[in-house]
Amino acid sequence: MFSLSREFSPCGKYCAYISQQGKFVVHDVETSAIHQVYTPNMHLNVPCTSFAWVQIGEEQKNAKKKSKKARSSLVENGSSVKLLVAFGTSKGGVAFYNLATASIEHACKGDGHTAPITAIYFNAKHNPDALYTAGADGKVIEWNISQCSQQRVHHIGVEKLTCVLAHSSTIVTGAKQLKLWNIENEAMERTLIGHTSNTPLLQLVALDADNIYVLSGSVNDRNLFLWSLNDEQNNSPVAAFALDDVPEYISPKMIDGKLHLIAVSRTGIAHYFVRDMGKLSVKKPYRASHTFEIAMDTVSTKKQAVDRIPVFIATIQHAAQQEHILLGYGSEWYVRFENVPIEENVKMNVIVREPIKAFEGKAKEGEQKSKTPTVDTSNVEYMNAANASRKTVKEVEIPMEVRLENLSTPKTSSKNMIHLLIQGLHSRDAALLKNVFAVDDSEVIQQTLGRLPSQYVSALLNELSYMMQLKTMHVKTAVCWLKHLINIHASQLMALGSSNLQSNFSTCLGIIEYRVEHLNSLSRLRGRLGLLIDQIDRSKNLDDRSNMNVLVYQEGDDSDVDSMLEKDDADLAGSSNEEMYEEDDNEDEVEAGYANGTDSGVEHRRNGYSGRDSDEESMEVSD
């Protein structure tokens, strides 16, 4: 995988780019071999973020034709032309690298940027002694090459700049949109409307002094736009060029009033456009006149599927002939350059070449190879006194499944989380995304989304929209991620526009509105179910209590039981006889009362007392 910072040298002899490890790699175009690999001091902490070729001096006027040896002598000896490379670092400084000595020649003095430098622009025709840099701090700084010092600082804004271009008294900067600034009065002249995401690609196209154009490419748009700098009333592009994927490298050239444009897409296909500048139209994007892609030869590999070798750079400025195109294809450390003819009748050019490993070995032929002595692992003897016994060294091979599981296992660190998230969004791996979204820690989510590049915001929105259509546990996680995404990338989302923003959030808004609409009914249902469950629990508790034993009786010995029973029988017999006698006496008294014609006994039973009783009581008291 290559970085976006890649460019041919002005003489066309070298092609350089910055690797993913922050190293500056220079390839020799003629031999397709690595010429130099420069690793800056403390490159892990202060890596090179961008570079530009700087050519100092004038070419020899007497030399009409420059041969290959002459061009190499100009670069190496520096008799008339001195070739340097201007580095922009993550600390905001600028340093000049000498290709002849393979070292940093000098560094520019000045405060520089307070954030990493994102783009460097140098144009020998416009101003051979000026170098322009754009940083993530929203500043554009003009540097003096001869004095190696900071000259002027232009405060563009607070947004992160991704590209810069200077012509005459105008500076063109790019972030979410392209803006034109006047160098003299430090004022913005106009805004070019068309892109909605970062624009890392920006090239100057000069037809003549009165017709100046710029060509731009965005990270989330597969169309290239051509803008006119002279037409102050037109803020829209004058032409559009369609690719199969996002552009990663563009190389324009004007030949006889026609624009010859080569664009390399992310899929590794080179697109070649030819358009007349006097007949441009923006109604419909232009399609490529020719496309070039490299296919791997399946005869040597004995595979049925045909693999593609990606093209990462292409140009016609340094081609061997006028009707040829110079292609660079391969991997990061093994690149092959080849001049391919342009056939008018063939629109799609598929070039079959040997696999990368095949021409890697051919490129290394003749070079001195390091040899490793063969060692019999069964006869290894350790000379240490503590480990003097013979031991066999066995290599521990980890299965591929375990390695993949270790790679896909999420960790709490936000640095690992962002790598897994980007890899999952880029490859649409459901397993990786499931492991990433399993984290519900608010701090980890916030740190992860803070490091998320802007081009992956749309893909993350699609995944969150899909998660919100699943069960409640997935919806809870999706809402947490969505809340932090909106807080951190609010400016990115606002730059999309109302229509694009509504289309991206339509699914999420529909699900949220549907759930909120039924929230009241669900709350009522939940309350009623809670009451019913409480009542059921209470009834169960009462049943359990009723079934409990209230009195516990413990039986004694049989002798005690018999004695108690005899005693109880005797008591019962005595009490029954006494009651029986008492009942007989009462019955005799009642009958005597009826016989005498009195009802004193009845009155006594009704009222509880009688006059006779009261008289008897009074007589007893007097006695």
Side-chain angles (χ1 to χ4, degrees):
M1 182 179 180
F2 294 91
S3 62
L4 292 178
S5 184
R6 63 191 79 160
E7 195 61 49
F8 284 99
S9 62
C11 60
K13 181 176 175 58
Y14 303 107
C15 177
Y17 62 90
I18 297 175
S19 66
Q20 298 297 320
Q21 294 80 21
K23 299 180 181 180
F24 181 69
V25 183
V26 182
H27 286 267
D28 193 338
V29 177
E30 298 176 359
T31 60
S32 298
I34 296 178
H35 179 68
Q36 289 182 12
V37 177
Y38 175 71
T39 304
N41 295 331
M42 299 177 65
H43 68 283
L44 295 178
N45 295 329
V46 190
C48 299
T49 55
S50 57
F51 76 97
W53 292 96
V54 178
Q55 191 171 357
I56 302 175
E58 297 181 357
E59 298 181 357
Q60 296 178 356
K61 298 181 180 180
N62 298 329
K64 296 182 181 180
K65 296 182 179 180
K66 294 185 293 183
S67 61
K68 297 180 181 179
K69 295 182 179 180
R71 286 192 298 174
S72 61
S73 64
L74 288 176
V75 176
E76 296 176 358
N77 299 331
S79 58
S80 59
V81 176
K82 191 175 184 179
L83 187 63
L84 300 176
V85 179
F87 284 148
T89 64
S90 60
K91 296 296 183 181
V94 175
F96 290 95
Y97 174 76
N98 193 339
L99 201 65
T101 59
S103 61
I104 297 294
E105 189 170 284
H106 46 261
C108 292
K109 301 178 181 179
D111 297 334
H113 295 271
T114 58
I117 295 177
T118 55
I120 296 181
Y121 179 74
F122 172 76
N123 190 351
K125 296 181 180 179
H126 172 242
N127 191 352
D129 199 24
L131 183 71
Y132 296 88
T133 59
D137 55 355
K139 298 179 182 178
V140 174
I141 298 180
E142 182 180 349
W143 306 82
N144 191 302
I145 298 177
S146 59
Q147 298 178 2
C148 292
S149 61
Q150 179 177 321
Q151 191 169 358
R152 296 180 64 182
V153 180
H154 306 282
H155 297 275
I156 301 300
V158 295
E159 58 183 353
K160 178 182 178 181
L161 303 179
T162 55
C163 61
V164 63
L165 186 145
H167 179 76
S168 184
S169 61
T170 304
I171 293 179
V172 182
T173 60
K176 301 294 187 301
Q177 294 177 342
L178 295 177
K179 297 181 180 180
L180 276 68
W181 302 83
N182 194 331
I183 300 177
E184 298 177 356
N185 55 12
E186 299 287 340
M188 186 182 69
E189 294 181 348
R190 56 194 174 110
T191 301
L192 304 180
I193 302 173
H195 292 298
T196 58
S197 55
N198 291 332
T199 55
L201 303 178
L202 191 63
Q203 290 288 338
L204 183 67
V205 179
L207 182 60
D208 49 38
D210 297 331
N211 295 304
I212 306 298
Y213 301 88
V214 290
L215 188 69
S216 63
S218 175
V219 294
N220 289 333
D221 193 354
R222 66 185 186 92
N223 293 328
L224 296 172
F225 290 144
L226 185 67
W227 315 81
S228 176
L229 298 184
N230 302 107
D231 191 0
E232 299 180 357
Q233 303 298 328
N234 187 11
N235 295 330
S236 301
V238 296
F241 304 91
L243 280 71
D244 68 318
D245 203 349
V246 177
E248 288 191 347
Y249 179 80
I250 55 176
S251 176
K253 184 179 181 180
M254 296 298 302
I255 301 176
D256 298 332
K258 292 184 179 180
L259 175 62
H260 293 255
L261 172 63
I262 295 180
V264 179
S265 64
R266 186 170 53 187
T267 55
I269 300 177
H271 301 259
Y272 182 63
F273 301 87
V274 179
R275 289 296 166 186
D276 190 356
M277 296 296 291
K279 300 178 181 179
L280 295 177
S281 177
V282 74
K283 294 181 180 180
K284 187 178 180 181
Y286 294 115
R287 296 290 179 178
S289 303
H290 305 278
T291 58
F292 298 88
E293 53 183 323
I294 311 298
M296 189 179 296
D297 187 8
T298 58
V299 176
S300 58
T301 58
K302 297 180 180 180
K303 294 182 179 179
Q304 295 181 357
V306 179
D307 296 331
R308 177 187 296 168
I309 303 177
V311 178
F312 81 100
I313 194 168
T315 184
I316 60 172
Q317 297 180 358
H318 308 293
Q321 299 180 10
Q322 186 175 359
E323 299 298 331
H324 282 66
I325 179 175
L326 179 61
L327 297 177
Y329 57 91
S331 61
E332 184 175 1
W333 294 99
Y334 302 99
V335 182
R336 185 174 186 177
F337 295 91
E338 183 177 351
N339 288 280
V340 179
I342 302 174
E343 300 180 5
E344 295 182 359
N345 299 328
V346 180
K347 184 176 181 180
M348 298 180 62
N349 296 269
V350 180
I351 304 170
V352 180
R353 291 294 179 264
E354 297 178 355
I356 299 174
K357 294 182 180 179
F359 66 76
E360 281 177 12
K362 292 183 179 180
K364 292 184 178 181
E365 289 182 358
E367 297 180 1
Q368 185 178 359
K369 299 181 180 179
S370 60
K371 296 182 179 180
T372 304
T374 58
V375 179
D376 188 5
T377 57
S378 61
N379 296 325
V380 175
E381 183 177 355
Y382 295 88
M383 302 304 296
N384 189 1
N387 299 324
S389 61
R390 294 184 179 181
K391 297 181 180 180
T392 58
V393 179
K394 296 181 180 180
E395 296 182 357
V396 180
E397 296 184 357
I398 301 175
M400 184 59 65
E401 296 179 358
V402 178
R403 296 180 183 178
L404 294 176
E405 290 178 359
N406 294 333
L407 290 175
S408 61
T409 302
K411 299 181 180 179
T412 56
S413 176
S414 59
K415 295 182 180 180
N416 297 326
M417 286 283 293
I418 186 60
H419 291 307
L420 292 176
L421 179 60
I422 292 175
Q423 185 178 359
L425 293 175
H426 187 72
S427 60
R428 296 180 180 178
D429 192 344
L432 280 178
L433 293 175
K434 182 179 179 181
N435 292 331
V436 172
F437 292 141
V439 178
D440 56 353
D441 190 356
S442 179
E443 295 182 359
V444 176
I445 294 174
Q446 187 175 2
Q447 294 176 2
T448 302
L449 293 177
R451 294 184 175 93
L452 181 68
S454 58
Q455 60 266 26
Y456 292 99
V457 173
S458 180
L460 181 59
L461 279 176
N462 296 332
E463 294 296 334
L464 294 179
S465 301
Y466 173 73
M467 286 184 61
M468 294 187 70
Q469 302 175 19
L470 302 178
K471 296 182 179 180
T472 305
M473 57 181 297
H474 300 284
V475 175
K476 180 181 178 181
T477 305
V479 169
C480 184
W481 280 81
L482 186 63
K483 180 181 70 174
H484 291 290
L485 179 65
I486 294 174
N487 291 334
I488 295 173
H489 296 276
S491 59
Q492 168 77 18
L493 297 173
M494 292 174 64
L496 295 176
S498 60
S499 60
N500 294 331
L501 190 62
Q502 186 176 3
S503 62
N504 290 331
F505 281 93
S506 59
T507 305
C508 297
L509 290 175
I511 296 172
I512 293 173
E513 290 178 358
Y514 177 78
R515 288 180 176 270
V516 171
E517 183 181 357
H518 296 79
L519 181 61
N520 295 330
S521 59
L522 288 174
S523 300
R524 290 195 297 268
L525 179 60
R526 181 181 179 182
R528 293 177 181 177
L529 290 175
L531 293 174
L532 290 175
I533 292 172
D534 292 340
Q535 292 178 0
I536 293 172
D537 293 338
R538 291 177 183 176
S539 62
K540 287 183 179 179
N541 294 331
L542 293 176
D543 294 339
D544 294 339
R545 291 179 182 177
S546 61
N547 294 328
M548 293 175 62
N549 295 324
V550 179
L551 178 63
V552 178
Y553 175 74
Q554 297 180 356
E555 295 182 355
D557 297 336
D558 295 339
S559 60
D560 296 337
V561 173
D562 295 338
S563 61
M564 291 295 293
L565 291 174
E566 291 176 358
K567 184 178 180 181
D568 292 341
D569 293 338
D571 294 337
L572 290 172
S575 60
S576 61
N577 294 328
E578 290 177 357
E579 291 176 357
M580 182 176 66
Y581 290 129
E582 289 177 358
E583 290 177 356
D584 293 339
D585 294 338
N586 292 332
E587 290 177 356
D588 294 338
E589 291 177 358
V590 172
E591 291 177 357
Y594 281 110
N596 296 328
T598 61
D599 54 352
S600 60
V602 176
E603 293 177 358
H604 178 74
R605 296 176 68 89
R606 289 179 179 178
N607 300 324
Y609 66 92
S610 61
R612 184 185 300 172
D613 295 336
S614 61
D615 295 338
E616 291 177 356
E617 290 177 358
S618 61
M619 289 176 66
E620 290 177 359
V621 170
S622 62
D623 292 337

